[in-house]
Amino acid sequence: MIINYLKSYDRSFKKLDHLIQERAISAIDSLLDFIQTRQKPEGLGLKKVYKNYWEIRLDIKNRIIFELKGNTINIAFAGDHNTVKRFLKEI
């Protein structure tokens, strides 16, 4: 499995406060564990949102958007509901 962190993710990640950044790192680790073990951790909130794009939850308000393309995961964006909606509209 190849993991790519897109520039859009890097920019959006830098805008998050420190606590949310830590949750983002933890959520991505949980996603990768799920892919390897096929045991879905509680609270991951994995959900398909658009074509090949999926989201995982950081908390009630914040999400990470990623794209599944074959053997590649492109981590694309992190933010709250409104910024995620704007990001998905631009795809």
Side-chain angles (χ1 to χ4, degrees):
M1 182 70 50
I2 299 167
I3 312 296
N4 293 320
Y5 291 87
L6 304 180
K7 289 180 183 178
S8 56
Y9 175 76
D10 292 338
R11 285 191 300 269
S12 63
F13 181 82
K14 289 177 184 177
K15 293 178 183 178
L16 301 174
D17 69 40
H18 183 68
L19 179 62
I20 303 300
Q21 287 178 348
E22 289 177 3
R23 288 183 184 162
I25 293 166
S26 177
I28 291 171
D29 288 342
S30 294
L31 174 65
L32 298 177
D33 287 344
F34 167 62
I35 290 169
Q36 290 177 350
T37 64
R38 295 290 181 206
Q39 294 181 355
K40 188 175 175 185
E42 194 171 317
L44 186 61
L46 181 65
K47 181 173 116 176
K48 189 172 186 174
V49 291
Y50 179 74
K51 295 185 181 178
N52 293 334
Y53 288 88
W54 295 73
E55 75 173 17
I56 53 175
R57 277 193 301 241
L58 304 180
D59 56 25
I60 290 176
K61 183 178 171 185
N62 296 289
R63 307 284 187 259
I64 291 178
I65 302 297
F66 63 95
E67 179 185 26
L68 286 177
K69 263 191 174 175
N71 198 30
T72 303
I73 296 176
N74 295 315
I75 309 292
F77 192 80
D80 64 23
H81 288 285
N82 294 332
T83 57
V84 165
K85 282 182 184 179
R86 281 193 299 262
F87 174 79
L88 291 172
K89 284 182 182 179
E90 293 174 6
I91 296 175

